[in-house]
Amino acid sequence: MSSRLILTGLAGLAAALTVSIARAEPVTVDNCGTPLTFETTPERIVVHDINMSEMAFALDLQDRMVGVTGITGWYKTTPAFDAARGKIPELAPKYPTLENLVAVTPDLFFAGWYYGMKPGGDVTPETLAPLGIQTLVLSESCIHLSKDRPAASLDLLYGEVTRLGKIFGKTAEADALVASWQARIDEIKAGASDFSGKRVFLYDSGTDKPFTAGKYAMPTAMIEALGAVNVTADMDTSWGTTSWEAVAAADPEFLILLDYQTGGGAGDLLDFLKEHPVMQHATAVKNEAFVALRYEELTPGPANIEALAKMAEAMKGLTN
């Protein structure tokens, strides 16, 4: 056989292998109750928000990330986040436009409702699909499209990472992460005091009405994991507003204060509560019983785990 024929045969074999890889078994995951199928592994992804970016970092997906959105416009970042992000560009400091996304030709956008997308907005799965961009929707946010969702649980984190692992061929890595997180949570709970029935209020923002976490939001799952009760868990949404009168009537014994980049963060929120005509009488406010947590610690993401440890430590003063 001539060398030319050998080379031709090798080239044909390489081409066949390439086709075989490209046509690997399709992967289907749940996407807000709708099947989302990936014929091939996404190669160019854009991820919105700190919490979802940290999920991607946890699975070492940086080499596929061509951009992030919604980081510097709102939040503080940690040195660890900045190091993990490296040179991945931020395409938009807050919500991205179609132009922001199309400019980097992604094949996947990982975002959520009110996490980079708004129902009826310019950037939605429906507007991205004709451009060849699939959309993976954060499960916690699905409640904004359908009320037929389970109440919040730590599966909001475990399920997301498991889903990413399946999509990117990293099932073993995702399973190992989830197992390590579950073991750590068991450790935290074993060392925590008895917080059963303790009333907790999360204050995110807002003056006329407080913006807080409801039945379907990750903080409710975190509070309940420690045996305590979220006083706004009856809100039939993930994140939304309620009245100060309703919160004051529940008399929270402990506060979770969101530590945002803008303003004075948690300190400003506590000062506001101390001056509020009804909230200043709440047990938690009078006792200054609170923990300050960052945005990514209270939205589904790897930071939830150690945030639970911070909560348990700060709540030690509460006794039954």
Side-chain angles (χ1 to χ4, degrees), residues 76 203-207 244 255-276 279 285 288 290-292:
K76 301 174 183 179
Y203 182 22
D204 178 304
S205 57
T207 54
W244 287 118
L255 305 170
I256 298 172
L257 304 178
L258 263 287
D259 196 22
Y260 277 106
Q261 178 177 358
T262 54
D268 278 359
L269 295 183
L270 183 61
D271 288 343
F272 173 80
L273 293 176
K274 288 179 178 179
E275 297 296 326
H276 194 275
M279 286 303 299
V285 177
E288 296 190 12
F290 74 95
V291 65

Side-chain angles (χ1 to χ4, degrees), residues 58-141:
L59 289 175
D60 296 321
L61 298 180
Q62 287 95 321
D63 62 336
R64 298 176 185 270
M65 294 174 66
V66 295
V68 294
T69 59
I71 308 291
T72 62
W74 283 303
Y75 315 119
K76 301 174 183 179
T77 60
T78 64
F81 178 90
D82 295 336
R85 176 185 158 193
K87 295 183 179 179
I88 299 170
E90 183 177 42
L91 309 179
K94 293 187 176 181
Y95 275 37
T97 64
L98 281 177
E99 291 77 11
N100 294 147
L101 298 177
V102 170
V104 295
T105 62
D107 48 14
L108 177 65
F109 183 42
F110 182 24
W113 299 112
Y114 302 103
Y115 289 86
M117 302 187 297
K118 295 179 181 179
D122 292 336
V123 175
T124 67
E126 292 71 28
T127 62
L128 293 175
L131 304 173
I133 305 170
Q134 291 182 287
T135 307
L136 185 67
V137 181
L138 184 73
S139 296
E140 187 205 48
S141 74

Side-chain angles (χ1 to χ4, degrees), residues 6-316:
I6 292 172
L7 290 173
T8 301
L10 289 174
L13 177 60
L17 287 172
T18 300
V19 171
S20 176
I21 293 170
R23 294 179 181 174
E25 190 71 22
V27 167
T28 300
V29 298
D30 178 78
N31 205 34
C32 288
T34 301
L36 179 64
T37 298
F38 296 87
E39 298 294 338
T40 58
T41 304
E43 296 289 341
R44 298 176 61 82
I45 64 175
V46 173
V47 182
H48 185 82
D49 243 330
I50 294 180
N51 59 313
M52 285 174 273
S53 294
E54 290 191 342
M55 288 187 212
F57 298 163
L59 289 175
D60 296 321
L61 298 180
Q62 287 95 321
D63 62 336
R64 298 176 185 270
M65 294 174 66
V66 295
V68 294
T69 59
I71 308 291
T72 62
W74 283 303
Y75 315 119
K76 301 174 183 179
T77 60
T78 64
F81 178 90
D82 295 336
R85 176 185 158 193
K87 295 183 179 179
I88 299 170
E90 183 177 42
L91 309 179
K94 293 187 176 181
Y95 275 37
T97 64
L98 281 177
E99 291 77 11
N100 294 147
L101 298 177
V102 170
V104 295
T105 62
D107 48 14
L108 177 65
F109 183 42
F110 182 24
W113 299 112
Y114 302 103
Y115 289 86
M117 302 187 297
K118 295 179 181 179
D122 292 336
V123 175
T124 67
E126 292 71 28
T127 62
L128 293 175
L131 304 173
I133 305 170
Q134 291 182 287
T135 307
L136 185 67
V137 181
L138 184 73
S139 296
E140 187 205 48
S141 74
C142 297
I143 191 64
H144 295 294
L145 292 188
S146 170
K147 296 294 184 183
D148 186 21
R149 304 292 302 176
S153 75
L154 292 175
D155 285 340
L156 289 172
L157 170 60
Y158 304 152
E160 291 294 353
V161 172
T162 300
R163 193 167 59 147
L164 283 174
K166 185 176 181 181
I167 293 168
F168 290 96
K170 295 197 172 193
T171 299
E173 293 91 330
D175 289 346
L177 272 175
V178 170
S180 69
W181 290 337
Q182 290 172 328
R184 175 60 177 140
I185 288 173
D186 287 342
E187 180 183 42
I188 293 166
K189 290 166 70 173
S193 302
D194 180 10
F195 303 127
S196 57
K198 293 302 177 183
R199 302 180 302 279
V200 180
F201 169 59
L202 181 147
Y203 182 22
D204 178 304
S205 57
T207 54
D208 292 340
K209 293 183 178 181
F211 188 75
T212 186
K215 179 179 180 181
Y216 301 95
M218 175 57 83
T220 298
M222 296 170 68
I223 292 166
E224 292 176 352
L226 293 177
V229 176
N230 178 9
V231 300
T232 58
D234 59 344
M235 287 172 50
D236 196 28
T237 188
S238 54
W239 296 86
T241 58
T242 185
S243 70
W244 287 118
E245 290 73 19
V247 176
D251 189 25
E253 299 162 275
F254 188 79
L255 305 170
I256 298 172
L257 304 178
L258 263 287
D259 196 22
Y260 277 106
Q261 178 177 358
T262 54
D268 278 359
L269 295 183
L270 183 61
D271 288 343
F272 173 80
L273 293 176
K274 288 179 178 179
E275 297 296 326
H276 194 275
V278 295
M279 286 303 299
Q280 64 179 303
H281 304 295
T283 299
V285 177
K286 291 189 292 185
N287 293 338
E288 296 190 12
F290 74 95
V291 65
L293 294 175
R294 299 186 309 277
Y295 170 88
E296 69 272 23
E297 293 178 306
L298 290 167
T299 49
N304 298 153
I305 308 305
E306 291 309 313
L308 267 173
K310 292 180 183 179
M311 289 167 59
E313 178 65 24
M315 291 169 69
K316 276 185 176 179

